[in-house]
């Protein structure tokens, strides 16, 4: 019997599911059991061509619609996503292995927020009037044209919407390539947009590995590329986009600092560290994986952290009581286990976890290392799994310098009751998305993105509009034209 997660076909182009079994088969493995639950096929050059030519052709008419009309469609899509939240959350859990307890509140709901927010903004995207005596300039905010979205595997529904919603609101069309690891959810987003009344062809989904992504990025018809992925992939995609002078948004990796001062509320700080390391089993780009704890509260913090981490419920992700799921793939599990071994070998003190869980699927216990030093591999490299490194510090000046001593700059957090210190420290940290007495909140109203190697551009908020549109300026002369001859 076909598994309920198996999509009707691999791709969604011009308003319909499309199949081409000549492409490389991509198995979809359910991370909680290791079973294959679906198969899709990588896009062949014919499929890529269909998607790009369709999106190119559909964009002009879409951009001609009023912002109010476009926005209405996006907001209708948001409503449909909310109505179908349970079904979409189950699919997200099959795609990623994340527990339903999380997916019910963080994935289709977050996608719906983006559709609703950018749907609401669509009608307000205007230019300005600049008086110049008798003459004047007016500006128009115009679409970029055809945008390509390329996703990572940790938030397949959210990423498809965070890229699609602002792109479409601005009058662009999109070809979206999900991660080959999680190909299922973006197809539903495409289907729902059509159900909401979107014209066929403005949001298309094609499957495939990096080479399909690369063929989209280099196509001359493409005006913009928005990637969520690792830094090495980001460098390749940014360089390829630069060849064609295309716009880019790069949402890449991180190794973010979470700084906890002696005066912090311990339980809130522990909660922040848990949210910043163990949500989605640690597979979150903005995670605060370097937890700097001031010496005075270190042992108290570690004791409370170990106690609360012990309350994580590992198990069937479809059981809403489960609060901690598996790694997305066997490969990712092995990478993370490798980092845990390095942590042990380089002399970090294991506080809890540290092993593969004794279960089917790709589960790793939530793991905390203390006495981690800045040079250790686990403190330098992005692990993308449930491995928290706790480092000691004494002074504010010292911790800020150490926190910034990394190529990454996605997020940063600080826990303290001293508000002047909180704002001063955040002001001195090199990071794009920051938190005070909290960690990992990502409302659509707030800009999201990194500095340094963690990325270029911002998603969400009004900032995203700037990255999916461009300004045309028009000088209007009211009098005669003067010329030298
Ligand atoms: P990845 O870099 O391996 O792949 C990302 C996507 O890029 C995939 O769809 C892949 O097929 C595609 N790709 C690979 N090579 C390509 C190429 N040459 N041209 C075009 N496309 C190509 O990343 P991943 O393993 O799927 O995801 C994990 C990484 O993503 C982590 O580093 C994580 O921090 C990052 N991430 C960042 C954010 C953010 O918003 N900043 C969010 C989630 C994940």
């Amino acid at each position: 019997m076909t598994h309920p997660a198996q999509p009707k076909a691999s791709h969604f182009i011009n308003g319909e599911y499309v199949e081409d079994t000549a492409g490389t088969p991509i198995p979809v493995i359910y991370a909680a059991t290791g079973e294959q639950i679906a198969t899709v096929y990588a896009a062949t050059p014919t499929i890529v061509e269909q998607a790009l030519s369709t999106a190119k052709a559909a964009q002009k008419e879409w951009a001609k619609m009023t912002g109010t009309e476009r926005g209405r469609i996006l907001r209708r899509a948001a409503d449909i996503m909310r109505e179908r939240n349970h079904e979409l959350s189950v699919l997200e859990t099959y795609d990623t292995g994340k527990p339903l307890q999380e997916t019910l509140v963080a994935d289709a709901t977050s996608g719906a927020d983006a559709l609703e927010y950018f749907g609401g903004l669509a009608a307000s995207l205007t230019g300005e009037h600049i008086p110049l005596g008798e003459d004047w300039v007016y500006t128009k905010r115009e679409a970029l044209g055809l945008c390509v979205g390329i996703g990572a595997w940790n938030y397949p529904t959210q990423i498809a919407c965070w890229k699609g919603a602002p792109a479409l609101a601005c009058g662009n069309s999109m070809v979206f390539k999900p991660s080959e690891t999680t190909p299922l959810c973006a197809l539903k987003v495409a289907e729902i947009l059509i159900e909401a009344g979107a014209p066929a062809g403005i949001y298309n989904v094609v499957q495939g590995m990096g080479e399909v992504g690369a063929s989209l990025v280099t196509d001359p018809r493409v005006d913009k590329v928005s990637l969520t992925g690792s830094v090495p992939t980001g460098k390749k995609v940014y360089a390829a986009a630069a060849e064609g002078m295309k716009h880019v948004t790069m949402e890449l990796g991180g190794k973010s600092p979470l700084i906890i001062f002696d005066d912090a509320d311990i339980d809130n700080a522990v909660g922040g560290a848990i949210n910043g390391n163990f949500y989605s089993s640690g597979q979150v780009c903005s995670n605060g994986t370097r937890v700097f704890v001031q010496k005075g509260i270190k042992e108290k913090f570690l004791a409370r952290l170990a106690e609360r981490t012990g309350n994580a419920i590992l198990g069937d992700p479809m059981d809403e009581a489960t609060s901690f799921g598996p790694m997305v793939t066997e490969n990712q599990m092995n990478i993370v286990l490798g980092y845990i071994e390095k942590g042990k070998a380089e002399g970090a003190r294991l506080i809890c976890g540290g092993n593969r869980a004794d279960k089917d699927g790709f589960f790793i216990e939530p793991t905390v290392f203390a006495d981690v030093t800045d040079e250790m591999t686990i403190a330098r490299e992005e692990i993308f799994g449930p491995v928290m490194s706790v480092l000691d510090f004494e002074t504010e000046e010292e911790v800020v310098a150490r926190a910034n001593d990394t190529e990454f700059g996605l997020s940063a957090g600080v826990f303290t009751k001293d508000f002047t210190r909180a704002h001063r420290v955040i002001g001195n940290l090199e990071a794009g998305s920051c938190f005070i007495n909290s960690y990992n909140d990502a409302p659509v109203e707030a800009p999201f993105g990194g500095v340094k190697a963690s990325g270029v551009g911002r998603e969400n908020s009004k900032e995203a509009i700037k990255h999916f549109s461009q300004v045309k300026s028009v000088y209007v002369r009211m009098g005669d034209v003067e010329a030298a001859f």
Side-chain angles (χ1 to χ4, degrees):
M1 205 182 80
T2 315
H3 192 277
Q6 174 67 46
K8 277 186 218 154
S10 302
H11 319 287
F12 196 96
I13 300 172
N14 204 19
E16 305 180 331
Y17 278 96
V18 178
E19 191 55 278
D20 182 354
T21 55
T24 310
I26 301 175
V28 185
I29 311 288
Y30 182 36
T33 60
E35 285 169 302
Q36 181 168 343
I37 53 170
T39 308
V40 297
Y41 295 87
T44 55
T46 316
I47 289 287
V48 169
E49 177 53 35
Q50 261 184 44
L52 288 171
S53 55
T54 299
K56 179 80 188 161
Q59 190 262 326
K60 290 267 179 299
E61 289 305 310
W62 175 242
K64 275 188 204 153
M65 286 167 66
T66 66
T68 305
E69 288 166 332
R70 287 199 303 271
R72 190 179 302 135
I73 291 167
L74 297 183
R75 284 183 287 111
R76 209 179 285 142
D79 291 344
I80 298 172
M81 285 195 82
R82 290 213 175 86
E83 280 156 25
R84 288 170 60 177
N85 183 44
H86 195 273
E87 166 210 336
L88 297 170
S89 303
V90 167
L91 190 68
E92 174 94 20
T93 291
Y94 277 131
D95 222 2
T96 60
K98 292 185 293 181
L100 199 55
Q101 191 190 85
E102 277 187 24
T103 57
L104 282 170
V105 296
D107 293 284
T109 51
S110 160
D113 283 355
L115 289 160
E116 184 173 8
Y117 177 86
F118 289 106
L121 277 188
S124 67
L125 306 178
T126 57
E128 56 178 347
H129 171 262
I130 305 163
L132 292 164
E134 266 201 349
D135 295 351
W136 41 283
V137 167
Y138 68 93
T139 64
K140 295 174 72 173
R141 187 155 287 281
E142 296 188 337
L144 297 174
L146 167 50
C147 301
V148 160
I150 300 177
W153 41 254
N154 55 347
Y155 284 85
T157 307
Q158 185 186 80
I159 295 172
C161 293
W162 280 19
K163 298 190 188 307
L168 267 46
C170 293
N172 303 286
S173 60
M174 178 161 273
V175 175
F176 184 81
K177 189 198 84 64
S179 164
E180 57 273 34
T181 305
T182 52
L184 306 177
C185 296
L187 292 166
K188 289 288 166 191
V189 174
E191 192 187 298
I192 285 169
L193 280 162
I194 290 293
E195 200 182 320
I202 59 148
Y203 188 89
N204 308 278
V205 176
V206 298
Q207 308 293 349
M209 275 64 101
E211 64 202 33
V212 171
S215 73
L216 294 170
V217 172
T218 48
D219 191 280
R221 287 165 290 188
V222 171
D223 300 289
K224 148 119 203 181
V225 180
S226 176
L227 169 80
T228 297
S230 60
V231 173
T233 303
K235 287 180 179 168
K236 280 189 226 159
V237 172
Y238 200 173
E243 274 297 303
M245 209 58 86
K246 298 174 202 291
H247 297 255
V248 294
T249 300
M250 295 280 145
E251 292 293 352
L252 309 176
K255 189 76 198 174
S256 301
L258 170 55
I259 301 174
I260 297 165
F261 285 94
D262 276 347
D263 67 343
D265 178 291
I266 294 242
D267 257 306
N268 284 334
V270 167
I274 288 173
N275 289 343
N277 281 270
F278 298 141
Y279 202 69
S280 302
S281 303
Q283 304 167 116
V284 179
C285 52
S286 50
N287 272 356
T289 47
R290 290 183 296 144
V291 180
F292 291 92
V293 182
Q294 206 166 15
K295 275 199 169 151
I297 51 158
K298 175 184 169 183
E299 293 307 328
K300 230 165 134 189
F301 176 85
L302 287 173
R304 190 72 185 113
L305 177 64
E307 188 188 329
R308 283 181 59 180
T309 303
N311 295 334
I313 300 172
L314 283 68
D316 175 5
M318 293 297 176
D319 179 346
E320 282 185 47
T322 297
S323 57
F324 191 87
M327 296 289 93
V328 73
T329 58
E330 188 168 13
N331 184 41
Q332 186 64 16
M333 176 185 73
N334 289 329
I335 291 171
V336 176
L337 288 172
Y339 276 111
I340 291 175
E341 287 316 308
K342 276 203 179 123
K344 291 177 186 166
E346 291 178 17
R349 170 161 61 113
L350 188 63
I351 299 293
C352 57
N355 298 297
R356 182 175 180 176
D358 183 19
K359 292 194 175 307
D360 290 342
F362 314 131
F363 287 86
I364 296 180
E365 296 163 351
T367 298
V368 177
F369 281 109
D371 303 341
V372 176
T373 58
D374 296 346
E375 306 70 39
M376 288 182 188
T377 311
I378 55 169
R380 300 220 69 81
E381 296 181 15
E382 183 182 46
I383 299 175
F384 225 58
V387 183
M388 186 194 306
S389 293
V390 178
L391 304 94
D392 310 341
F393 78 95
E394 286 182 26
T395 69
E396 178 184 321
E397 200 183 4
E398 166 214 338
V399 77
V400 167
R402 290 169 60 200
N404 285 337
D405 183 20
T406 166
E407 64 165 325
F408 299 109
L410 185 50
S411 292
V414 56
F415 274 84
T416 176
K417 291 200 185 101
D418 178 342
F419 257 68
T420 40
R421 174 162 66 190
H423 294 291
R424 186 172 60 237
V425 167
I426 288 294
N428 287 326
L429 290 172
E430 296 161 358
S433 302
C434 299
F435 309 92
I436 293 177
N437 292 333
S438 189
Y439 207 86
N440 261 352
D441 315 75
V444 67
E445 297 88 346
F448 181 79
V451 302
K452 294 157 74 178
S454 291
V456 175
R458 292 292 178 268
E459 295 199 303
N460 288 341
S461 78
K462 291 180 199 149
E463 288 296 313
I465 296 296
K466 296 184 193 155
H467 297 287
F468 278 106
S469 62
Q470 57 197 341
V471 170
K472 176 181 277 176
S473 86
V474 183
Y475 190 107
V476 181
R477 183 174 296 282
M478 301 299 286
D480 295 332
V481 174
E482 279 182 32
F485 51 87

